[in-house]
Amino acid sequence: MDEARLRTILDGFRERKILVVGDFYLDAYWLVDKTASTLSLETPWHTNPVVEQRYSPGAAGTVTNNLAALEVGEIYSLGVIGEDGFGSTLLDRLKGNGCITDFMIAAPDRVTPTYLKPIHRGYEGVETEGPRFDIENQSMMRFEVEDRVIRALRQCVSQVEGVIVGDQMPRNNLGVITDRVRTEICRLAMEFPDKIVFADSRARIGRYRNITVKPNRFEAKRAVDPDWIGEEVSIEEAKRCGQILTVRTDKPLFVTVGQEGILVFQDGRIEHVQGIPLETETDPVGAGDSVSAAIVATLCGGFSYLEAAQVGNLVASITVTKVGTTGTASHEEVIDGFRNISVPPDRSRRDT
Ligand SMILES: Nc1ncnc2c1ncn2[C@@H]1O[C@H](COP(=O)(O)OP(=O)(O)OP(=O)(O)O)[C@@H](O)[C@H]1O
Ligand SMILES: [Mg+2]
């Protein structure tokens, strides 16, 4: 790939129409100024004065954030929120990031999945993140709410070129992608073979059929060997697992292998698209979501799986350098990153 080709791919993103369906979370950061804490008059506890609040979409919302940073033309979100304040904040932030939220469903008996992260600030500005508060649904959606999700999905699919499934609720059947919704997604992929349908899931990637999935090496291993408990998965093992999964899904498949890049499985072949060597500190949180956004935006433009993996690596090589935040990447950052790797250090010295 040369720079002109990369620019063509990125420019095309503005024409793309992509739906993200699944578990939209709200990440809430509350800054607690402990230096202003006082002993409460009624209880023997010191107060936690919240002096700043920041909210941003997480989980499937990290994918929409990345699509927005990549300037994808139309980004639709389909998820379920509660009729609560966090739900309106999430909708507000999604809209603020350029998402079309018409398909979001609010249900009175659901909570808006929220991770509340208190950051405690002490003297001289020292900050420490405190234990997180997780607000998640403890029961399955009612059948009627599931029906609404399926109806909205069918309605939205016809308007988009690609669908990204963010099946991220840690516990089975408690999120938006229940077994019934997943079956429906796989059926839609059969019904609309020209659409790119793509899924990411920490716990359930092995349950998808007829669509492209993107596990990391550990998820691929666990999908193949559910009882596996280990620390490392070699590239060879990731290849073996990916091969088994691509036969099961009957679609091309990606396995991300951290700094080593992405393995692409297609038509019985495996290509290893090498990761981009970085000399700076990295933070992998959200790397997978930026890869999903970049891959699907590229595939929807009619480019190859191999090129999609190259763009995925490039975009993730920018987002992982954003330490301490769930990063995103702009076109300019991606092009700058590409220039840095395309010019070997000895050549750059000669040119200057
Ligand atoms: N240290 C790194 N250097 C360069 N690129 C990296 C590094 N770590 C991750 N990446 C990029 O990010 C992609 C995804 O990383 P990884 O395989 O760790 O996904 P993941 O485990 O799903 O991430 P997440 O923590 O977001 O769920 C890789 O394919 C690669 O392109
Ligand atoms: Mg991941």
Side-chain angles (χ1 to χ4, degrees):
M1 183 185 297
D2 57 16
E3 190 178 316
R5 181 77 173 169
L6 177 62
R7 276 188 188 277
T8 305
I9 294 174
L10 295 177
D11 286 346
F13 286 1
R14 298 190 181 99
E15 312 297 318
R16 304 282 71 85
K17 298 174 184 182
I18 297 174
L19 162 69
V20 180
V21 55
D23 299 308
F24 285 83
Y25 275 60
L26 182 68
D27 285 328
Y29 302 90
W30 284 10
L31 184 67
V32 180
D33 182 2
K34 284 289 196 181
T35 68
S37 174
T38 56
L39 185 60
S40 129
L41 293 178
E42 301 87 6
T43 64
W45 298 110
H46 279 90
T47 57
N48 285 313
V50 177
V51 294
E52 212 179 292
Q53 303 173 42
R54 270 193 307 116
Y55 296 98
S56 66
T62 311
V63 181
T64 55
N65 292 345
N66 273 282
L67 291 169
L70 290 171
E71 298 178 44
V72 165
E74 286 180 25
I75 307 162
Y76 295 85
S77 55
L78 167 50
V80 179
I81 56 173
E83 291 181 350
D84 49 31
F86 286 139
S88 9
T89 306
L90 177 54
L91 281 186
D92 187 61
R93 295 302 186 275
L94 286 169
K95 279 187 207 145
N97 283 356
C99 244
I100 301 162
T101 57
D102 302 357
F103 294 99
M104 292 292 289
I105 293 164
D109 53 352
R110 305 302 284 168
V111 295
T112 303
T114 303
Y115 286 157
L116 204 166
K117 304 167 186 183
I119 301 160
H120 297 265
R121 180 183 288 164
Y123 289 121
E124 294 177 4
V126 62
E127 286 183 3
T128 305
E129 199 168 313
R132 199 175 77 181
F133 295 88
D134 294 358
I135 303 172
E136 288 177 316
N137 289 290
Q138 305 297 321
S139 62
M140 203 170 146
M141 288 184 283
R142 272 181 301 115
F143 199 78
E144 294 84 336
V145 181
E146 240 185 347
D147 268 347
R148 283 172 70 189
V149 171
I150 291 170
R151 274 202 306 276
L153 188 59
R154 288 207 152 262
Q155 215 183 333
C156 190
V157 157
S158 57
Q159 301 179 27
V160 296
E161 301 156 335
V163 178
I164 302 178
V165 183
D167 181 2
Q168 300 303 8
M169 207 301 169
R171 292 160 65 199
N172 293 347
N173 280 315
L174 297 191
V176 172
I177 313 298
T178 56
D179 292 340
R180 188 155 76 98
V181 171
R182 187 178 308 104
T183 303
E184 187 65 23
I185 291 169
C186 298
R187 187 180 305 144
L188 279 174
M190 294 274 264
E191 211 174 298
F192 297 94
D194 55 328
K195 313 257 180 206
I196 303 294
V197 185
F198 176 102
D200 187 20
S201 176
R202 283 222 161 90
R204 293 171 292 273
I205 203 73
R207 299 193 187 182
Y208 287 84
R209 297 290 180 270
N210 317 311
I211 73 175
T212 289
V213 294
K214 181 216 59 99
N216 65 24
R217 60 171 92 182
F218 305 103
E219 292 155 359
K221 174 72 178 161
R222 276 194 298 271
V224 170
D225 298 327
D227 297 330
W228 176 78
I229 25 169
E231 305 249 302
E232 235 344 290
V233 176
S234 66
I235 296 286
E236 277 321 301
E237 186 57 9
K239 285 183 178 171
R240 184 186 77 86
C241 297
Q243 196 65 54
I244 294 171
L245 291 177
T246 191
V247 169
R248 277 194 213 159
T249 54
D250 199 21
K251 282 280 173 183
L253 172 142
F254 301 92
V255 176
T256 62
V257 286
Q259 64 183 3
E260 289 163 279
I262 303 179
L263 304 172
V264 186
F265 300 75
Q266 190 179 16
D267 301 327
R269 286 194 317 275
I270 308 174
E271 306 267 3
H272 185 167
V273 181
Q274 293 291 337
I276 293 161
L278 298 171
E279 267 138 40
T280 50
E281 192 191 344
T282 58
D283 176 355
V285 177
D289 293 327
S290 66
V291 169
S292 300
I295 284 182
V296 174
T298 306
L299 290 177
C300 288
F303 299 96
S304 71
Y305 282 79
L306 214 54
E307 284 179 307
Q310 288 170 336
V311 179
N313 263 340
L314 263 174
V315 168
S317 76
I318 306 296
T319 58
V320 295
T321 58
K322 308 214 169 147
V323 178
T325 70
T326 312
T328 59
S330 69
H331 287 197
E332 281 325 303
E333 287 174 314
V334 175
I335 287 166
D336 280 352
F338 181 76
R339 284 188 184 146
N340 287 339
I341 51 159
S342 320
V343 183
D346 56 340
R347 161 106 183 278
S348 72
R349 271 201 303 276
R350 266 208 308 279
D351 287 351
T352 51

